[in-house]
Amino acid sequence: MAARTSRSSAKDRPSYRCTECGWTTAKWLGRCPECQAWGTVEEFGGAPAVRTTAPGRVTTAAVPIAQVDGRQATARGTGVPELDRVLGGGLVPSAVVLLAGEPGVGKSTLLLDVAAKAATDEHRTLYVTGEESASQVRLRADRIGALSDHLYLAAETDLSAVLGHLDSVKPSLLILDSVQTVASPEIDGAPGGMAQVREVAGALIRASKERGMATLLVGHVTKDGAIAGPRLLEHLVDVVLHFEGDRHARLRLVRGVKNRYGATDEVGCFELHDEGITGLADPSGLFLTRRAEPVPGTCLTVTLEGRRPLVAEVQALTVDSQIPSPRRTTSGLETSRVSMMLAVLEQRGRISALGKRDIYSATVGGVKLSEPAADLAVALALASAASDTPLPKNLVAIGEVGLAGEVRRVTGVQRRLAEAARLGFTHALVPADPGKVPSGMKVLEVSDIGEALRVLPKRPRREPARGAGKETGRESGGETGREASPRTTPE
């Protein structure tokens, strides 16, 4: 009797489950140890029973790994080179790809273009939409020219109906827009809930593996930019891509977050326009302003998006302030990094004209520069705007600037210089020891901000400096260098 009571109390004991990843435990925790999410562990029923699984009959015999046929995992191109670049060459049969992005960024337009270009006589494509009607998708296909006799379209929100279309069409590529709009009638809960998303994703993944069919799933994002739904969804799929872009700019970026078949540091560049979306093999032109003569307050740098070098332009403008607290406005740049460069220029570069002026800094084309390699370009643009003297033409600046004024090395300098040389730039400011320099490019190695400021042309002085100054830095040589201006020693 006592043993029966003990078993009964253990069975009735409540258990807890994480609403994000589904991890279960016998006691409540404030933070899930599986997905590291806070406040997601909730009580859901009795404690899980302890079960043992007996060995069963295997489906396929284990073989040495060298005897496994790897040709079945050969990627097939989608017809969109920029997307193939991020995927690692194309779509692998049986692969499941999750593409997430903010509303209106162009996910449906991109995937409809992929669906039409990937459809052939031997490889059919099935496009299932749960957010729009079939006629709405047809209007978009007419606008972007995504029509094909081998592209099949269905508007469904029922999981069983989607699986029925797979039996009738037998596609090589399935595109579902989106996974949060499809629900299974056998599972309780509204579409987009944790249980529904898990069931829909699991069923489509099983169908993809059994049929050798590649699958592209569109996912929603939360207001924080994370993929909506349980984190388990990202673990189940083979590839996770993020579609990024400012709705006020034409540039769109596809970044690989997870990829079982390739690298995750590749970036695909696209341009969204009225006729659809097109890949940009050379997107640097979007971030530059072509001028006949250089303008004060502008400096060019080379940033790395993944492993892809992009030439970007930094602009700065300084005006007399009309208020006690001068304005500091940035666009495309981190405000904290710009403030650090202002402090370094004032203390280490002896430029005192920046403290009481309104300062505006921005990038061209909507690109966002967050890596430290753009520090030197930001500092030179601010110094050029403060002195109202333009930097030499065809000059790029690459390097991280520390609070002590030193210019530190950054990764991928040779790759950045090669991209600048390809676009016709002839001079570059880089940290020490840049490695192999492209032919035809003159590289000036600088060790601190004082040496970097020597590229600014001299301006006539109205009155002589006080005290004995000492020249800092080395003789630059080349067309971009100039004599270092003497500094005034503190009294």
Side-chain angles (χ1 to χ4, degrees):
M1 186 59 129
R4 186 182 308 154
T5 305
S6 177
R7 287 194 299 266
S8 177
S9 61
K11 183 178 180 180
D12 297 337
R13 188 187 312 142
S15 61
Y16 301 87
R17 179 173 60 188
C18 176
T19 58
E20 287 289 331
C21 65
W23 179 81
T24 58
T25 180
K27 62 179 181 179
W28 182 86
L29 296 174
R31 185 178 187 180
C32 175
E34 180 69 21
C35 64
Q36 306 299 321
W38 287 95
T40 59
V41 179
E42 298 179 357
E43 181 179 348
F44 79 100
V50 179
R51 298 178 181 178
T52 58
T53 303
R57 189 168 58 181
V58 298
T59 55
T60 57
V63 296
I65 190 172
Q67 299 180 12
V68 177
D69 187 7
R71 292 174 296 179
Q72 299 179 359
T74 302
R76 183 172 68 92
T78 62
V80 181
E82 287 298 307
L83 182 61
D84 292 340
R85 177 184 188 135
V86 184
L87 292 173
L91 285 171
V92 176
S94 303
V96 180
V97 181
L98 177 64
L99 177 65
E102 295 183 356
V105 75
K107 302 184 298 298
S108 301
T109 304
L110 173 62
L111 292 185
L112 186 58
D113 185 41
V114 171
K117 292 182 178 179
T120 61
D121 296 337
E122 300 178 355
H123 303 282
R124 296 179 179 180
T125 301
L126 175 61
Y127 189 100
V128 179
T129 174
E131 299 180 347
E132 302 173 282
S133 64
S135 58
Q136 289 176 321
V137 179
R138 170 60 193 269
L139 290 177
R140 183 187 300 114
D142 291 335
R143 178 171 56 86
I144 66 177
L147 296 177
S148 174
D149 294 336
H150 306 286
L151 171 59
Y152 293 80
L153 176 63
E156 297 288 353
T157 57
D158 188 272
L159 177 60
S160 59
V162 174
L163 297 178
H165 284 296
L166 296 181
D167 293 333
S168 60
V169 178
K170 295 181 174 57
S172 298
L173 173 62
L174 168 66
I175 297 178
L176 178 61
D177 186 11
S178 63
V179 69
Q180 277 86 5
T181 59
V182 178
S184 173
E186 300 178 358
I187 303 298
D188 296 333
M194 182 188 66
Q196 289 287 358
V197 171
R198 183 188 292 112
E199 176 65 20
V200 172
L204 294 178
I205 291 173
R206 288 192 299 270
S208 178
K209 304 302 181 184
E210 293 172 357
R211 301 169 182 267
M213 170 189 67
T215 303
L216 282 168
L217 304 177
V218 177
H220 296 169
V221 296
T222 63
K223 61 181 180 180
D224 298 328
I227 299 177
R231 194 65 180 268
L232 181 66
L233 180 61
E234 300 179 51
H235 292 286
L236 291 176
V237 300
D238 302 309
V239 182
V240 179
L241 304 179
H242 272 277
F243 203 17
E244 305 173 359
D246 187 358
R247 62 178 56 194
H248 302 294
R250 298 179 299 171
L251 180 67
R252 299 292 187 268
L253 299 178
V254 176
R255 300 179 186 271
V257 178
K258 172 188 175 182
N259 193 349
R260 290 173 177 167
Y261 310 107
T264 58
D265 54 358
E266 284 288 0
V267 176
C269 299
F270 297 87
E271 183 181 8
L272 187 65
H273 45 78
D274 294 338
E275 291 76 22
I277 188 169
T278 56
L280 293 176
D282 189 10
S284 295
L286 293 177
F287 311 139
L288 301 178
T289 304
R290 300 296 181 182
R291 305 183 183 90
E293 296 295 333
V295 177
T298 63
C299 185
L300 301 177
T301 186
V302 185
T303 181
L304 282 181
E305 290 288 347
R307 292 189 298 177
R308 188 169 194 168
L310 300 175
V311 178
E313 180 179 342
V314 179
Q315 295 182 345
L317 178 65
T318 63
V319 295
D320 292 334
S321 179
Q322 305 298 327
I323 57 178
S325 299
R327 294 185 180 91
R328 301 289 186 264
T329 304
T330 61
S331 176
L333 299 169
E334 291 185 354
T335 305
S336 58
R337 304 294 299 186
V338 175
S339 300
M340 289 171 57
M341 293 305 101
L342 290 173
V344 170
L345 288 174
E346 183 173 358
Q347 184 68 22
R348 310 298 180 186
R350 299 297 190 267
I351 300 179
S352 58
L354 296 172
K356 299 181 180 180
R357 310 198 75 188
D358 292 338
I359 298 176
Y360 305 89
S361 56
T363 58
V364 174
V367 64
K368 295 182 180 180
L369 299 180
S370 58
E371 63 169 343
D375 287 351
L376 187 57
V378 174
L380 290 177
L382 292 170
S384 174
S387 60
D388 198 24
T389 56
L391 291 166
K393 195 176 181 180
N394 295 328
L395 171 72
V396 296
I398 304 168
E400 178 184 359
V401 179
L403 294 180
E406 76 279 9
V407 179
R408 302 171 181 170
R409 296 184 59 184
V410 295
T411 59
V413 175
Q414 297 182 16
R415 195 181 310 157
R416 300 172 196 259
L417 292 178
E419 177 67 11
R422 186 184 68 83
L423 295 176
F425 294 95
T426 56
H427 296 79
L429 286 180
V430 297
D433 193 15
K436 184 179 180 181
V437 177
S439 59
M441 174 170 281
K442 297 181 180 180
V443 174
L444 175 63
E445 302 179 21
V446 293
S447 59
D448 56 36
I449 192 65
E451 291 187 31
L453 293 177
R454 293 171 60 186
V455 301
L456 288 171
K458 282 185 176 180
R459 297 191 67 191
R461 295 178 178 271
R462 296 184 178 179
E463 56 183 15
R466 295 176 299 169
K470 182 178 179 181
E471 196 173 72
T472 61
R474 299 173 296 175
E475 291 294 329
S476 61
E479 300 177 8
T480 61
R482 73 174 182 90
E483 293 292 330
S485 58
R487 294 183 180 178
T488 302
T489 55
E491 297 179 355

